[in-house]
Amino acid sequence: MLNVKVFNQEGAEVKDLELNEAVFGIEPHKQAMFDMVLLQRASLRQGTHKVKNRTEVAGGGRKPWRQKGTGRARQGSTRAPQWRGGGVVFGPTPRSYKFKLNRKVRRLALKSALSSKVQDNEFTAIDGISFEAPKTKQMVKVLENLNAPVKTLIVVDEITLNVEKSASNIPGVKLLDAKHVNVYDILNSDKLIMTEAAIKAVEEVLA
């Protein structure tokens, strides 16, 4: 059995929660996590890089000198790659860096990332987060009560406006709902805080 303590916003222990070992207790698969992080980072690339080749550079229509008799190497255009101001050979062109992973690999990577946080004692369960008004100080107080470091990922079942605004101004703190939890953000954080409802929502999908 895999049990964790559930805390409230004041940092007091409320109860114990049994985690699904098929989601939070597996042996982390490093290659799956690596591939998934690579996929997410590749998907963030715009791929808008562009250079001009010799057909796109302006000018160069006239042959610089005649073919024979000058003693110099033959040249057909001043926009050839060896000329200053000429086109670029094999330069970058617009492309997409996205690639696909099998669904089972993606699920394995997410379960591995969650399990690694539990094994490294970087996982904290909380019964819920709610504020009557958007106050950054209140969110900072909650993080202090839970001994959260600078880089913290908070996962809730549904994001409310007050919680979102309270967390948005804190550097290093990221707020996600259970539907958008991902491998990169989990591994990029020093601590993972999940509400009890978010844990159940993730278990329903991955178990």
Side-chain angles (χ1 to χ4, degrees):
M1 294 177 63
L2 184 60
N3 292 327
V4 293
K5 297 178 180 179
V6 180
F7 299 89
N8 58 18
Q9 294 185 183
E10 287 70 36
E13 183 179 341
V14 178
K15 59 180 178 179
D16 288 340
L17 177 66
E18 183 179 353
L19 298 178
N20 192 321
E21 293 189 8
V23 178
F24 292 92
I26 70 170
E27 180 67 26
H29 196 288
K30 294 183 179 180
Q31 186 62 47
M33 291 190 291
F34 174 82
D35 291 340
M36 193 63 201
V37 170
L38 200 66
L39 181 145
Q40 288 188 249
R41 288 178 59 84
S43 299
L44 294 175
R45 300 185 66 175
Q46 291 184 348
T48 54
H49 38 47
K50 177 71 172 70
V51 296
K52 292 183 178 181
N53 57 30
R54 63 181 298 169
T55 65
E56 297 170 323
V57 178
R62 175 177 171 271
K63 189 173 174 66
W65 52 75
R66 60 196 177 97
Q67 181 81 349
K68 292 178 178 293
T70 63
R72 290 179 289 186
R74 55 193 175 188
Q75 300 292 335
S77 171
T78 57
R79 293 299 178 260
Q82 71 270 20
W83 284 72
R84 183 180 181 274
V88 178
V89 183
F90 303 132
T93 54
R95 55 164 290 196
S96 173
Y97 286 90
K98 295 180 181 179
F99 61 93
K100 293 183 179 180
L101 281 180
N102 293 334
R103 183 168 176 263
K104 288 184 178 180
V105 177
R106 296 199 305 267
R107 291 168 65 92
L108 175 60
L110 185 54
K111 291 189 286 187
S112 298
L114 293 169
S115 299
S116 66
K117 286 298 179 184
V118 174
Q119 293 178 11
D120 297 339
N121 296 320
E122 296 177 353
F123 178 86
T124 300
I126 188 171
D127 58 355
I129 301 177
S130 61
F131 303 122
E132 295 180 357
K135 292 287 185 181
T136 304
K137 288 184 180 180
Q138 293 182 352
M139 180 60 78
V140 171
K141 185 65 176 176
V142 171
L143 295 175
E144 290 177 352
N145 294 337
L146 298 175
N147 298 319
V150 176
K151 295 182 70 174
T152 300
L153 176 63
I154 303 173
V155 182
V156 297
D157 183 31
E158 292 184 2
I159 297 178
T160 60
L161 185 61
N162 290 342
V163 174
E164 182 180 13
K165 288 188 174 181
S166 300
S168 61
N169 290 331
I170 306 176
V173 174
K174 188 165 186 177
L175 180 68
L176 291 176
D177 59 13
K179 296 178 182 178
H180 295 93
V181 64
N182 59 86
V183 176
Y184 178 74
D185 286 325
I186 293 174
L187 297 180
N188 195 37
S189 63
D190 294 329
K191 189 159 191 176
L192 173 62
I193 299 176
M194 294 185 69
T195 63
E196 190 174 355
I199 292 173
K200 292 180 180 179
V202 170
E203 287 179 341
E204 288 179 2
V205 175
L206 296 178

